[in-house]
Amino acid sequence: MKYRSAFDIIGPVMIGPSSSHTAGAARIGRVARTLFGHQPKKAIVHLYGSFAETYKGHGTDLAIAGGLLDFDTFDERIPQSLQLAKEANMEVEFVIESTVTEHPNTVRLQLLDEDKELEVVGVSIGGGTIEITELNSFKLKLSGENAAILVVHNDQFGVVSAVTTVMAQNEINISHMEVSRKEKGKMAMMVIEVDQKLDDSVLKEIEGLPNVTQIIKMVE
């Protein structure tokens, strides 16, 4: 495991006993909420590996619920997050899974309300660092540390070039980008992390491109 900075080893300021089981779990919950667009009515949280074995002792359940409520890792309300979720009319259900995953600190969240459903898989790497590895069965790699957009599009030639051209014309520097698809010629997704804030005008321009069907904005 290579760490990018001393922060990755020390970890963030947090409420809880473990950076991976508490801070990382809170960040996964918060990123999942951001991807969903708002607080869900219901969250089904599937815990795997070490998360499944020690989630109550390490407060992983509290941390994930806190993240879904948009609490940061240092928010002093995290120990009361399950009660606060009830008060906010958000149902949180935890499911312990026995399937062996590639990373021991893995969680799969199903977020639902009346209009939509989203499934997010995240792993807590250590030191509060996370990766989102799946979004609605799309494989991806999203840290949640930088401003980013997820561009859902039809798998057609020229779409990637068109999106990156808009970025270049607006002097947006791309720090990380990847493209995945479920099937040739069908639905595909770009994950683009950038160094600058993305103005709504840029997003609107990308959204108006041919074959682009949806944009999900990640706030830095």
Side-chain angles (χ1 to χ4, degrees), residues 2 6 12 56 60 64 72 86 122 144 150 189 198 206:
K2 293 184 178 179
K56 283 194 176 292
T60 306
I64 291 172
D72 209 334
K86 289 181 181 179
L150 281 64
M189 179 184 288
L198 289 162
I206 294 173

Side-chain angles (χ1 to χ4, degrees), residues 50-124:
S50 181
F51 269 178
E53 295 168 2
T54 63
Y55 76 100
K56 283 194 176 292
H58 283 164
T60 306
D61 51 347
L62 300 172
I64 291 172
L68 291 170
L69 289 167
D70 204 26
F71 297 168
D72 209 334
T73 56
F74 53 80
D75 197 304
E76 295 182 355
R77 294 172 293 176
I78 285 179
Q80 291 81 44
S81 60
L82 289 175
Q83 178 58 40
L84 293 172
K86 289 181 181 179
E87 294 173 6
N89 296 316
M90 180 177 70
E91 180 184 352
V92 184
E93 176 186 345
F94 291 92
V95 179
I96 306 306
E97 302 285 0
S98 59
T99 305
V100 177
T101 54
E102 185 175 342
H103 194 283
N105 297 332
T106 298
V107 57
R108 177 165 56 92
L109 297 98
Q110 294 173 271
L111 307 184
L112 310 96
D113 65 12
E114 298 89 347
D115 303 317
K116 63 179 178 179
E117 180 175 348
L118 186 77
E119 184 172 296
V120 177
V121 177
V123 298
S124 180

Side-chain angles (χ1 to χ4, degrees), residues 38-204:
H38 54 265
Q39 180 179 296
K41 291 288 185 182
K42 182 175 182 178
I44 305 173
V45 182
H46 302 261
L47 300 169
Y48 299 83
S50 181
F51 269 178
E53 295 168 2
T54 63
Y55 76 100
K56 283 194 176 292
H58 283 164
T60 306
D61 51 347
L62 300 172
I64 291 172
L68 291 170
L69 289 167
D70 204 26
F71 297 168
D72 209 334
T73 56
F74 53 80
D75 197 304
E76 295 182 355
R77 294 172 293 176
I78 285 179
Q80 291 81 44
S81 60
L82 289 175
Q83 178 58 40
L84 293 172
K86 289 181 181 179
E87 294 173 6
N89 296 316
M90 180 177 70
E91 180 184 352
V92 184
E93 176 186 345
F94 291 92
V95 179
I96 306 306
E97 302 285 0
S98 59
T99 305
V100 177
T101 54
E102 185 175 342
H103 194 283
N105 297 332
T106 298
V107 57
R108 177 165 56 92
L109 297 98
Q110 294 173 271
L111 307 184
L112 310 96
D113 65 12
E114 298 89 347
D115 303 317
K116 63 179 178 179
E117 180 175 348
L118 186 77
E119 184 172 296
V120 177
V121 177
V123 298
S124 180
I125 299 171
T129 303
I130 68 163
E131 280 186 4
I132 302 300
T133 59
E134 277 188 40
L135 177 64
N136 284 351
S137 300
F138 277 105
K139 302 292 184 182
L140 53 87
K141 183 179 180 182
L142 182 66
S143 69
E145 295 178 359
N146 304 312
I149 57 170
L150 281 64
V151 182
V152 182
H153 60 97
N154 298 320
D155 181 32
Q156 299 292 327
F157 68 89
V159 182
V160 174
S161 175
V163 171
T164 54
T165 296
V166 171
M167 293 283 196
Q169 289 172 343
N170 287 275
E171 299 183 351
I172 303 295
N173 191 53
I174 297 172
S175 60
H176 173 79
M177 179 176 178
E178 58 184 71
V179 181
S180 62
R181 64 185 183 185
K182 294 183 179 179
E183 187 179 343
K184 182 178 178 180
K186 302 294 184 180
M187 188 182 294
M189 179 184 288
M190 285 179 246
V191 178
I192 307 173
E193 293 186 336
V194 298
D195 293 331
Q196 297 99 325
K197 181 181 178 181
L198 289 162
D199 292 334
D200 289 340
S201 60
V202 177
L203 301 180
K204 189 174 181 179

